[in-house]
Every structure is written in C-alpha cells, then in structure tokens.
Amino acid sequence: MLVLPPLAAILGVLVWGYMGLPGFGARIGEYGNLINEHAQGQRHITNYVTAVMFDYRGLDTLIEEFILFTAVMGLVLLLRSGRDVAEQRPRDIVTSDAVRTVGSLLSPVLLLFGLWVITFGYITPGGGFQGGVIASGGALMLWVAGSYRHFRRLSASTVLDASEGLGAAAYVAVGFIGLTAGAAFLTNTLPLGSAGTLASSGTIAALNWAAGVEVTAAFVLIYHEFLEEYIQTFPGVKGER
C-alpha cells in the first residue's frame, strides 16, 4: 500500500507531460528543418537519420559505439574469468521439431535481412546498429535450432573478439581520414557519389559498416557468453568436448 501514493504521483507527472506534447505531424523543430533542407545536398544521402548519426553528430555515435564495446568486453571478462573449464562438455539436444524447423528457417533469413539493413542503411530506413542486431539474431536462431554445442565452432570467441575490436577501430580510423586531409576528426572527406546509390554519402557508408560489424559481433558475443553459462547447467556427457 505504501507504494501506491508515489506511483500515483509518477503517473500524474507522466500524464501531465504527455498532454503537453505537440500533436502528431506537428513542426519538428529548427534542427530537423535544417537537416531536411540541406542533408541531401551536402552529403548526397537519402536517409537523413543515418546522416545525423554518422556525420552531423558522428562523434556522439562514436561514444555510443564504445559504450557498447566496453560493456560487452566487461561482460565477457567477468563471465570468462569465473567460468570453470569443464573436462566433460555437455551437449544441449534440441528435442522439439517445431523449434528445429522454425529456427533453421529463421537463421538465414535474419542474417541476410540484417546484412541488407546494414548495406542499404544510408539509402532506406535502417543502418549499422539496427542491422547488426538483426544479423546477430541469425546466429542465435542457429544455436537454438541446432544445439549450441554443435554449432559454436562456427563463431569462435577469438574471431568474435577480433571482429568487435575491428569494428570499433575502423570507426576511429575513418575519423582520422579527415585529419589526414587537413580537416577536423570525422569530417566527411570521401567522394560523395550519387544520392540513392550504394556509392554515395562519403564516409557515412564506411562508418555505417564499421558500426554494423561492431554491433553484430557484440551481440553475438553476448549470446555466446550467456549460452556458455547456461550450458554449464546441463549434465556432462563423458568424452564430449
């Protein structure tokens, strides 16, 4: 009962705040108007959200990417340091035909769709962050449908560690291209190409792919480490590794 008054107060503040929001389709503000007016001409890009993320506020996105990188590395170090190396490797066996069938079908679909979202992220809605999360789901579905122990070698932890680091380092490396050209860090100095094509937007395309690689590897690492913890609860099978 004691929690009800503060919950009621929080609800009242939320309702009061929502009632003050502008109506649907209202003016989006001067910053949004400037982006809508100049983004395509300045950056030859058709997805203005990606233009903001990887160009106009690309430094903020760099910080966000390294927040994800640091969080995942912390998780990996914490779980791996406390995990016993079992001599007997338990094997998770998928007994449901429905899980095997649905998971097997979804795995390649999610992987390809995620790659498509990354590839066309600066032309149509999408981008490296969104596509990376979707693509990582392909690995998760494969493990769920066909036994994690059976398919874990397809995504070795050393490769995942290197891929995440490579994605984060590539973002910084693209930023240094601006410095070598005598401009500021992350300045868009590559050829802009033609709007609406894959050969467009200059450094935005490269930064988009760097984020896609880092996010994909980061989420696969998260699934990998949590499944490693979960699999320890299975009874061991003598001789399996």
Side-chain angles (χ1 to χ4, degrees), residues 73-93:
M73 285 297 99
L75 170 71
V76 168
L77 292 173
L78 179 64
L79 293 181
R80 289 181 185 175
S81 62
R83 186 180 300 138
D84 294 330
V85 180
E87 293 184 0
Q88 297 178 351
R89 289 301 221 179
R91 188 176 299 280
D92 50 322
I93 301 174

Side-chain angles (χ1 to χ4, degrees), residues 78-215:
L78 179 64
L79 293 181
R80 289 181 185 175
S81 62
R83 186 180 300 138
D84 294 330
V85 180
E87 293 184 0
Q88 297 178 351
R89 289 301 221 179
R91 188 176 299 280
D92 50 322
I93 301 174
V94 181
T95 58
S96 171
D97 291 336
V99 171
R100 283 198 298 267
T101 301
V102 175
S104 299
L105 292 174
L106 283 179
S107 180
V109 171
L110 288 174
L111 176 59
L112 292 176
F113 182 55
L115 292 176
W116 184 88
V117 172
I118 296 173
T119 302
F120 292 90
Y122 50 97
I123 300 174
T124 60
F129 281 88
Q130 301 91 323
V133 175
I134 297 172
S136 68
L140 182 61
M141 287 297 102
L142 184 63
W143 291 334
V144 169
S147 166
Y148 169 69
R149 280 290 176 213
H150 186 69
F151 287 103
R152 67 190 294 271
R153 293 182 180 178
L154 296 177
S155 56
S157 57
T158 53
V159 175
L160 294 175
D161 294 345
S163 298
E164 190 191 17
L166 177 64
Y171 198 109
V172 177
V174 173
F176 276 109
I177 294 177
L179 295 179
T180 60
F185 182 71
L186 283 175
T187 298
N188 198 328
T189 55
L190 295 180
L192 296 175
S194 301
T197 67
L198 291 179
S200 63
S201 75
T203 57
I204 295 176
L207 294 174
N208 175 66
W209 266 106
V213 171
E214 198 272 337
V215 172

